[in-house]
Amino acid sequence: MDKHKLGRSELQVTPVCFGGNVFGWTIDKATSFKILDTFIAAGGNFIDTADVYSRWIEGNKGGESETILGSWMKQRRNRDKVIIATKVGNDMGDRGKGLSRAHIMQAIDDSLYRLQTDYIDLYQSHIDDESTPLEETLETYADLIRQGKVRAIGASNYRADRLLKALQISEQNGYPRYESLQPHYNLYERADYEKDLEGLCIEQEIGVISYFSLASGFLSGKYRSEKDLSNSSRGGYVKKYLNPRGFQILEALDELAKTYNTTPTQISLAWLIQRPSITAPIVSATKLKQLEEIIKAVDLKLDSASIQLLDGASAYEGGAVRL
């Protein structure tokens, strides 16, 4: 796979990022290792996780995903071959939350311990914390970069006004700036990102790594009715897509999958990858077959007519033309 610069940072990442939220949730350690080995063998180098993954499972405390990823890197001795992105700020129960200096300083050491490494390539603010001054958060990140614990920083789930303010504060004070944004974005969920964030990211040269890139599996085409929802742990997230607009998108995906002799999954990802503002969509897999399908999307090039068909099928009120 070709590599692209993430924002203005020195990080060179592949056009798809593997989402480690499944580690310790829907796949165990052994399967996680097989998935990661296959992703790396195919040329991938970008892996995203978070300290809070997968705290939502009964018996977990958070950090399970990082722990599995750290064990894999230690066993494979490949830390210098991968770009590791993790996050801080989400609710870790008795271990705190938010983007205060105190919490970040504790959380970074916890993540480094679980990942069995002495640095994190991309450290991201998982969710905005408006109770903590942006100056405090960014100055803390500056210290971590000076200490060599972090190479670059990113933001996740930020509104455009807050992201712009953070960028301005970084420039005014000489702090490191957010080099990436991780928004909820896919062929169905377009409005929030495209209306306010996309133009800002292009203007400021911010790398974008979209999450829920397949709308929790809906864009794979495997959910066609409410009966299908019971077949997956993510089925509950998909019900909201079973509406006329959702079915219209699936119809366009089916048409193009037939035209290109491929799958709706690959068409959906190719649409994202070809969007000028997107650096690398985040995609997860629980089976090797799924991962192989995802990897093939990197080489799928949609023509302008196909992109227009998908843009039209997924059009939303107040939508703009593709940049």
Side-chain angles (χ1 to χ4, degrees):
M1 296 186 203
D2 293 333
K3 295 182 177 65
H4 307 278
K5 180 184 281 193
L6 184 68
R8 296 175 187 168
S9 76
E10 296 179 354
L11 304 181
Q12 296 285 330
V13 300
T14 46
V16 288
C17 176
F18 190 85
N21 62 320
V22 293
F23 304 149
W25 175 26
T26 49
I27 54 176
D28 60 16
K29 181 177 178 179
T31 305
S32 299
F33 277 32
K34 290 178 183 177
I35 291 283
L36 285 165
D37 287 342
T38 302
F39 181 64
I40 298 303
N45 78 337
F46 196 14
I47 304 163
D48 177 77
T49 184
D51 58 1
V52 77
Y53 298 164
S54 49
R55 184 173 174 258
W56 52 86
I57 301 300
E58 186 176 353
N60 284 1
K61 297 180 179 180
E64 288 78 15
S65 173
E66 289 181 330
T67 298
I68 288 174
L69 184 54
S71 296
W72 172 76
M73 288 191 294
K74 182 179 182 180
Q75 193 173 116
R76 300 297 187 260
R77 298 180 180 181
N78 64 356
R79 176 65 187 92
D80 61 334
K81 301 293 194 300
V82 292
I83 300 295
I84 299 300
T86 193
K87 310 181 197 74
V88 60
N90 224 320
D91 190 352
M92 292 290 285
D94 58 8
R95 283 179 287 174
K97 63 180 178 179
L99 298 174
S100 68
R101 180 178 182 85
H103 182 66
I104 290 173
M105 285 301 194
Q106 179 60 53
I108 184 75
D109 287 340
D110 289 345
S111 287
L112 290 171
Y113 176 79
R114 289 188 292 260
L115 288 164
Q116 300 190 57
T117 184
D118 55 7
Y119 69 96
I120 289 165
D121 297 292
L122 180 66
Y123 202 41
Q124 303 162 96
S125 298
H126 202 157
I127 51 176
D128 192 9
D129 174 12
E130 297 194 45
S131 67
T132 298
L134 287 165
E135 291 87 350
E136 178 180 339
T137 299
L138 293 165
E139 184 177 21
T140 303
Y141 286 148
D143 289 342
L144 292 179
I145 289 175
R146 279 194 292 269
Q147 293 170 19
K149 292 182 177 181
V150 171
R151 294 179 65 192
I153 59 171
S156 176
N157 299 302
Y158 270 53
R159 301 191 314 265
D161 62 323
R162 289 284 289 175
L163 179 58
L164 178 59
K165 186 175 180 181
L167 293 170
Q168 292 170 338
I169 288 171
S170 291
E171 184 174 4
Q172 291 163 4
N173 294 277
Y175 298 146
R177 69 171 213 144
Y178 286 133
E179 295 293 352
S180 65
L181 174 70
Q182 192 171 137
H184 183 183
Y185 183 58
N186 54 56
L187 192 54
Y188 188 103
E189 301 282 2
R190 296 177 56 187
D192 287 348
Y193 170 69
E194 291 181 15
K195 286 182 176 179
D196 297 313
L197 286 161
E198 185 170 38
L200 176 61
C201 289
I202 291 173
E203 178 186 323
Q204 296 293 324
E205 298 178 283
I206 293 173
V208 179
I209 46 179
S210 56
Y211 71 87
F212 283 165
S213 298
L214 290 172
S216 299
F218 173 73
L219 296 173
S220 72
K222 65 181 178 180
Y223 301 104
R224 305 281 177 160
S225 68
E226 291 197 20
K227 183 180 179 181
D228 297 329
L229 303 183
S230 61
N231 299 331
S232 170
S233 59
R234 291 191 172 193
Y237 297 104
V238 178
K239 187 175 180 178
K240 61 183 177 181
Y241 301 129
L242 300 177
N243 57 51
R245 180 169 173 262
F247 294 131
Q248 183 171 279
I249 293 171
L250 290 184
E251 185 178 341
L253 289 172
D254 288 341
E255 178 181 336
L256 292 178
K258 185 176 180 181
T259 299
Y260 287 88
N261 192 29
T262 185
T263 64
T265 290
Q266 291 177 22
I267 298 293
S268 299
L269 291 177
W271 180 87
L272 270 175
I273 291 169
Q274 287 182 232
R275 192 158 189 101
S277 65
I278 300 297
T279 306
I282 300 171
V283 187
S284 298
T286 57
K287 298 180 177 63
L288 291 178
K289 185 178 180 180
Q290 293 173 340
L291 180 58
E292 290 163 1
E293 182 181 14
I294 288 166
I295 290 168
K296 289 178 182 177
V298 173
D299 296 320
L300 178 60
K301 305 302 179 187
L302 302 177
D303 62 26
S304 59
S306 299
I307 290 173
Q308 288 175 9
L309 175 64
L310 292 170
D311 286 351
S314 61
Y316 55 92
E317 187 175 349
V321 297
R322 171 171 284 241
L323 297 174

